[in-house]
Amino acid sequence: MSKDIHSEALDRLFDAVMSLTSREECYDFFEDVCTMNELSAMSQRLAVASMLKDKHTYSDITAVTGASTATIGRVSRTLNYGNDGYDLVLGRLKESSKS
C-alpha cells in the first residue's frame, strides 16, 4: 500500500510541523495551511483509527464520529496494510495520557 511520497516539499512541510512547540502554534499553523474541512477530516480519521483499535463496531464509530463506512473502511485498511503511522501516534498518545 505504501507509495514513495518523499519529496523536498514534503520534507519541508514535515520539518515545519516538527518545529511547532505548542498546541496553540499548531492551531495557528494548521488553520493557515488547511481548510476547516481538511482539519476535520484528519481529526476524524484519527478518532476512527483509535476506535477501530479499541474494537468498536462500524455503527458505533459512525454514531460517535460521523464518519462514513467508506472512511472507516479506508482507515481500517490503513491500520492493517499501511505504514503503522496510526499505531505509532496512538501508542504515543496513550503513553502521554498515563503521565
Side-chain angles (χ1 to χ4, degrees), residues 12-84:
R12 181 113 171 112
L13 174 63
F14 296 152
D15 289 344
V17 171
M18 291 188 301
S19 77
L20 301 170
T21 60
S22 69
R23 184 174 287 148
E24 194 58 39
E25 285 182 359
C26 289
Y27 272 101
D28 291 344
F29 178 73
F30 281 100
E31 193 173 334
D32 285 350
V33 172
C34 300
T35 66
M36 286 309 299
N37 285 342
E38 290 166 335
L39 287 172
S40 178
M42 287 189 286
S43 63
Q44 182 186 65
R45 288 182 203 124
L46 185 60
V48 167
S50 179
M51 292 184 76
L52 284 168
K53 296 283 290 172
D54 289 341
K55 307 294 187 208
H56 290 270
T57 65
Y58 276 36
S59 58
D60 288 344
I61 295 169
T62 296
V64 170
T65 67
S68 69
T69 56
T71 296
I72 299 167
R74 191 172 330 119
V75 172
S76 179
R77 280 189 303 281
T78 302
L79 284 170
N80 291 319
Y81 305 109
N83 295 314
D84 298 327

Side-chain angles (χ1 to χ4, degrees), residues 5-15:
I5 64 168
H6 295 262
S7 71
E8 285 185 38
L10 274 177
D11 287 350
R12 181 113 171 112
L13 174 63
F14 296 152
D15 289 344

